[in-house]
Amino acid sequence: ISGLEGLVREARKRRALRSSAKDRAIAQLMFGVYQAEIRRWLTGAHPKPAGGLARLRAMLRIVVEGLRPGPGAM
């Protein structure tokens, strides 16, 4: 989590992150998603690395991009 926290801090310095959440909380969220996806993948009948990584990327993309509405929403 500390390593992720450092990456979040660097992203904030580059202004690549606009969240007001604390760096540690963001790192914990990302780690939680990672941990859940690894567990889900490993409990499958026939875990395949490519599929597991693709799903992990998709879930982390949601965390990074957020759930904000796009242009013209509402």
Side-chain angles (χ1 to χ4, degrees):
I1 293 175
S2 294
L4 284 172
E5 187 177 6
L7 293 173
V8 170
R9 190 172 19 262
E10 290 302 315
R12 194 180 302 278
K13 285 179 186 174
R14 291 189 322 272
R15 298 186 186 267
L17 178 68
R18 68 177 180 182
S19 175
S20 61
K22 294 184 182 283
D23 297 347
R24 186 78 175 181
I26 294 169
Q28 288 171 329
L29 172 63
M30 293 177 77
F31 184 76
V33 169
Y34 168 80
Q35 198 173 42
E37 286 304 313
I38 292 297
R39 286 182 178 150
R40 189 197 63 75
W41 176 70
L42 288 175
T43 60
H46 303 286
K48 294 182 180 164
L53 287 172
R55 183 168 162 94
L56 175 60
R57 281 188 197 100
M59 296 298 110
L60 288 174
R61 184 173 295 116
I62 293 170
V63 171
V64 171
E65 292 177 359
L67 300 173
R68 67 186 175 276
M74 292 182 148

